[in-house]
Amino acid sequence: MTQTVRPGSTQQVSSVSVTRTFFISGFGTALEFYDFIIYGLAAALVFPKVFFPSFDPTVGTLVAFAAFGSGFVARPLGGIVIGHFGDRIGRKAMLVLTLLVMGSSTFLIGCLPTYGALGVAAPILLVALRLVQGFAAGGEWGGASLFGIENAPEGRRGLWGSFTSAGIGIGSLFGTGVFTLVTLLPQHALESWAWRVPFWLGGLLVLVGVVARSRMPQEERRGERAPRVPILDAVKRHPRQMLLAIGVAFGYNTLAYIGSIFTVTYAEERGYSHTQSLLLQVAGSVAFMVAVPVMALVSDRFGRKPVVILGTLAYGAVFFGYFPMVDGHVMLLATVAYVMVNVLMAAPQGCIPAFLGEQFSAATRYSSISATYQVGAALGGGTAATTATALLTGHLDCARSASLRSSARWRGRRSESWVIWVRQL
């Protein structure tokens, strides 16, 4: 017998178990974020040589991140379109669709010819697939979050909504782990074929999520019906909440993508090997995955606002310690730095699904949280890694010039890079 779920309820209105909810909400988002993580890591480690070989290595990384950011351009549109149909016809169909499109795009990226084989058409196709991938991802997060929130028992919306955020940690851990394994291969193998394996694997794993979501309970439409154009109705009825949600999403995504993507490039630029930098990411992903439900439970107890505000402030402050700890080239200290960044990143992320979902009425909730979160993600996450890499490029140029003018005792001493960094500030 098919179970029914009433969207928008704050009570548990179906027999959907916590395990099943976690699998549908969290695992699906884990697969989505796995796709984004492996692309971000490939952009940092492989794509500058595979798709942008005519550029200086650091500039090639910058261009690869710009291609990464192109996917964020399509995310607001995907959030609006998929959110519209999610409110009008239901969550289930849209969540199955987003996974299918994401998986297909991921698999096809793994099949792309390189620049050497196809010329300029290769990076163009890469950007095109990123746009398709971003469109689907725009509707994924909101629907997956709502499935947890709308099935949560009273007083546990933060925890159940955080299943999506925990899925981000799982996807990051799995994506980083897979890339760590492929970087153990010789460099020529990594650049010629091994980088494709994580993309092929991601495309196949999405099928598991599709099967799980195809067995989701159908929603039962009760009470307030969705308006003809939900997003316009939300803007008209909740303008303040819409702006608030965009601002929260912008701030969080700016910091989160620096913490999850740019930090790979930073470790590489500071002399860590591919494997070492990815192992640091693995440690951070484990810390994030464990911290997310804890922070969500804290928000259920003390409220969303203090967790979001205090967590974000602490997260920004921790980077003042992150840089010198990583620059010291002591793996234990670097690992602690990555763990600190990810634990504090979990503070806002753990309760953001519930925080945003509670701002809007059930009739327009899918459209509202998808559009606002994805606009914020596009403005913040889509530019964060690129901007940070550009700043790093300028810093390295200044550091090289300073090194040429300085005495021999300063030359080649990468452990002193924090001193140069402070001087540039």
Side-chain angles (χ1 to χ4, degrees):
M1 181 177 179
T2 302
Q3 299 168 340
T4 59
V5 177
R6 178 163 56 90
S9 174
T10 60
Q11 303 284 339
Q12 188 175 11
V13 295
S14 75
S15 58
V16 181
S17 68
V18 62
T19 303
R20 189 177 184 190
T21 302
F22 179 84
F23 192 81
I24 292 173
S25 180
F27 185 70
T29 304
L31 294 175
E32 174 227 337
F33 207 74
Y34 167 89
D35 295 340
F36 274 84
I37 283 293
I38 60 174
Y39 182 94
L41 295 175
L45 305 178
V46 179
F47 284 176
K49 294 181 180 179
V50 172
F51 289 104
F52 310 101
S54 59
F55 292 101
D56 170 85
T58 305
V59 176
T61 301
L62 178 61
V63 175
F65 274 141
F68 173 74
S70 68
F72 286 87
V73 174
R75 286 179 71 158
L77 179 61
I80 293 171
V81 173
I82 296 173
H84 171 87
F85 290 104
D87 283 325
R88 295 282 296 174
I89 67 177
R91 324 297 198 212
K92 179 177 179 177
M94 295 300 101
L95 286 175
V96 172
L97 175 66
T98 55
L99 272 188
L100 281 173
V101 176
M102 282 285 299
S104 300
S105 301
T106 300
F107 187 84
L108 290 174
I109 287 176
C111 298
L112 280 179
T114 65
Y115 184 92
L118 201 61
V120 71
I124 291 175
L125 289 173
L126 177 66
V127 172
L129 288 173
R130 283 289 298 133
L131 290 171
V132 174
Q133 197 178 53
F135 180 87
E140 161 65 30
W141 184 89
S145 298
L146 288 182
F147 187 81
I149 296 167
E150 293 175 348
N151 283 282
E154 184 67 24
R156 286 293 180 265
R157 284 195 300 264
L159 178 61
W160 284 49
S162 74
F163 294 162
T164 304
S165 302
I168 292 175
I170 294 171
S172 177
L173 176 62
F174 188 50
T176 306
V178 170
F179 240 97
T180 300
L181 292 177
V182 299
T183 58
L184 297 177
L185 296 170
Q187 185 68 22
H188 67 86
L190 175 64
E191 295 176 5
S192 61
W193 62 270
W195 68 268
R196 301 178 184 275
V197 174
F199 290 91
W200 292 336
L201 181 61
L204 294 176
L205 284 175
V206 164
L207 297 178
V208 179
V210 169
V211 171
R213 288 185 172 180
S214 66
R215 299 176 180 176
M216 282 173 58
Q218 295 283 356
E219 307 97 31
E220 181 180 321
R221 293 284 169 178
R222 296 178 184 173
E224 186 180 6
R225 294 181 60 84
R228 184 174 182 180
V229 185
I231 187 63
L232 293 181
D233 185 79
V235 171
K236 183 177 180 180
R237 295 175 60 185
H238 310 290
R240 180 175 177 274
Q241 289 90 335
M242 294 289 283
L243 292 174
L244 169 68
I246 291 173
V248 169
F250 168 77
Y252 167 73
N253 278 278
T254 298
L255 295 175
Y257 276 88
I258 290 175
S260 60
I261 299 299
F262 168 74
T263 50
V264 178
T265 301
Y266 188 80
E268 293 274 321
E269 292 290 348
R270 287 296 175 263
Y272 291 84
S273 68
H274 290 341
T275 303
Q276 285 177 322
S277 64
L278 291 177
L279 285 174
L280 292 172
Q281 291 295 107
V282 168
S285 296
V286 172
F288 179 85
M289 186 172 57
V290 173
V292 157
V294 175
M295 298 297 182
L297 279 172
V298 172
S299 78
D300 282 331
R301 175 66 177 84
F302 298 103
R304 321 291 179 215
K305 185 183 291 186
V307 178
V308 171
I309 293 175
L310 294 177
T312 302
L313 290 174
Y315 179 53
V318 80
F319 277 96
F320 286 96
Y322 165 85
F323 291 112
M325 292 173 76
V326 173
D327 288 352
H329 282 269
V330 177
M331 276 299 291
L332 178 60
L333 287 178
T335 301
V336 171
Y338 276 73
V339 168
M340 288 169 54
V341 165
N342 281 272
V343 166
L344 292 174
M345 184 166 63
Q349 179 61 55
C351 57
I352 275 180
F355 178 81
L356 296 184
E358 290 166 349
Q359 307 301 315
F360 306 104
S361 61
T364 63
R365 188 173 290 148
Y366 199 150
S367 298
S368 299
I369 72 170
S370 293
T372 55
Y373 186 84
Q374 300 307 335
V375 168
L379 295 174
T383 59
T386 305
T387 302
T389 303
L391 291 173
L392 177 61
T393 302
H395 159 64
L396 290 175
D397 289 341
C398 291
R400 291 188 188 106
S401 298
S403 178
L404 290 174
R405 293 193 301 266
S406 64
S407 64
R409 67 187 181 89
W410 286 94
R411 291 177 185 147
R413 293 177 59 184
R414 300 177 68 90
S415 61
E416 303 279 60
S417 57
W418 179 250
V419 176
I420 301 175
W421 185 288
V422 172
R423 288 181 175 179
Q424 297 307 318
L425 293 177

